[in-house]
Amino acid sequence: MMKKINVFKFLVIICCTTFLLNTAVAQRFNPFPKSVGTVVFESEEDPIVKKVASPSIVILENGDYLVSHDFDRGTSVHVSKDKGKTWSLLSRVAPLIWANIFEHKGNVYLMGTSKGWGNIIIYRSTNQGRTWSEPKDEDTGILAKGMFHTGPVPIVKHKGKIWRAYEEAFDAKDRRDFHALAICADEGADLLKASSWKRTNSIRFDEQWLNARRPNWLEGNLVVTREGKLVDFMRLETWIGRGVNYTIEGAAAGKPRDEIAAIIDVDDKNMQMVFKNEKRNFVHFPGAESKFTIRYDSISKQYWTITNKISSFRNTLGRTHDGNWHQRNVLVLMSSPDLTNWTIKKKILKWDEGAHLRTWDTFGFQYVDWVFDDNDIAFVSRTSWYGFRYHDANMVTFHRIADFRKSNTNIEPEDLKNYTKHPILVSIPQANLTKDRFRIGDFDIITRLGKGLVQNARGELKFATKDKPAKDEKQALKQERYFEIEIKNRKIKNFSVETLDYTPITNSKNLKLKWVYSKNGILFDPITRYLLNVENGVEDYKPEPTLYLQVYRPLNSIAAQEGIVLRCYVIGGSEEDVMLNFMDQIAIGGRAL
């Protein structure tokens, strides 16, 4: 009996230790709210390096839900046997990315590329996704060799054939010079054999067709029109460029920038892609700047999709860090009777709707794939919930739209920003940046101003020397144009640093900030890989959006007596008498642990 008890205790200790090891690096604060969806998978170990991408979903004939997604240079497949309430890892395949998952004649397939801009490949499972074939040659799944691009876009069955869209590139130095194409095979053919597949020609979007930084199409959806014709419905990038008129010109004139999709005609008889650059080839389509999935519902006789609705439009004059297309924080359900006239039926998810997000901002729901599930829509999202940035997601999440045909635009979803609030750890008065040592509650604060900066009586930071503007943090370090905030606490064991809130103001047109952190004051790690533009002028300013730091794992738990150093480099500033003001304080969010 004693031996059994000891063994039991040993197993409990092992299980608890394993649990702690597995959860120590997961979302520590403000986990994804269960009220709006289920986490299928989260990149826990190192989400800055190991990102999550390209989710796809299928409901099998046996009732299993399968979700696939890119992760760690391959594709993971997860299964749910309770309609999406819980998920478990089923299998992994590699090499494969950008794949969609689908069922055909009792088998399950994954179809994508061997790598970014790689070969077209396909995998087959004969046991509901538990094991998979291995593409070795043109008879076992390598369908075409070249530089191909895609996303988890749907297959479509048309006139006895199975179709899928791809893009290809021909210049390794210009891989985003996309040429759209389609491939097809007989429904009864062996889909693993390259000889079963035919392809169309490929066509690129001519820069002269539309005024933009580089108008481009990608991640097309093959769709059958109400007239029984096949089209490739394209995501279209219409980013504003420097010196480019913000108003759209050409055949798409009259449609709003960043909300235009393109429709390519597919001649399925002659295997030709045809684009005539006519008015009918361009569609007002909110969400056209990000990947989407379109499917036809025979009950409502409508085409349906879920897209990212931009909620803040600005003419950014060719700047890319704050382009409208960075807004992937609002998801909407749309429908159309004809692929031309689209109506927003319902908002599904939103985080801080109306905020003009930048490339380094943290939250996003994107690259949605979905399927009909009786009267519902089941969908998966590439979700950044405290990820490295909105684009570099750390999760795949599962969601359900109940009774989608009865969707009501008057019912607003809860703004998920309510779930991303953080307590203030300390607020550093701007005047104290040169105070050296002081206390805030039980926290010992040390501030240091580099010799390249001085602070005047109004608390404004100025350049101490006439050196040329620093181009990056290395030059700013050499010029000592930085300030530091060191935080310690002798009365607690650990604390976290979770957010940075401040309102920078400058009289310069090209001033930027770069935050870094260090646990020893010697080796520093970056906070984002971007230089943060200071865009507030002296007479026109508003609070800077919060910098969320949860993805930086060392900041989740800091040994309180050893502390943390936050350093901010001041970069750029080519004008005379450059001034930087932080509007009284820098608030650092976090908590005692």
Side-chain angles (χ1 to χ4, degrees), residues 120-141:
I120 296 177
I121 59 174
I122 187 170
Y123 288 76
R124 179 168 61 204
S125 173
T126 58
N127 54 14
Q128 290 78 48
R130 290 189 292 274
T131 60
W132 298 86
S133 62
E134 183 180 354
K136 295 180 179 180
D137 53 35
E138 64 274 10
D139 290 323
T140 56

Side-chain angles (χ1 to χ4, degrees), residues 22 28-29 35 65 208 233 255 278 290 396 495 577:
N22 287 340
R28 184 158 191 169
F29 316 109
S35 59
Y65 289 33
Q208 304 303 313
F233 197 101
K255 296 177 175 60
E278 298 173 345
S290 185
V396 170
F495 65 88
D577 197 28

Side-chain angles (χ1 to χ4, degrees), residues 363-376:
F363 296 94
F365 322 103
Q366 60 214 305
Y367 272 61
V368 166
D369 190 33
W370 61 272
V371 290
F372 296 114
D373 189 9
D374 293 328
N375 294 321
D376 299 347

Side-chain angles (χ1 to χ4, degrees), residues 49 109 137 279 327 360:
V49 175
Y109 292 87
D137 53 35
K279 186 176 181 179
Q327 297 171 55
W360 52 79

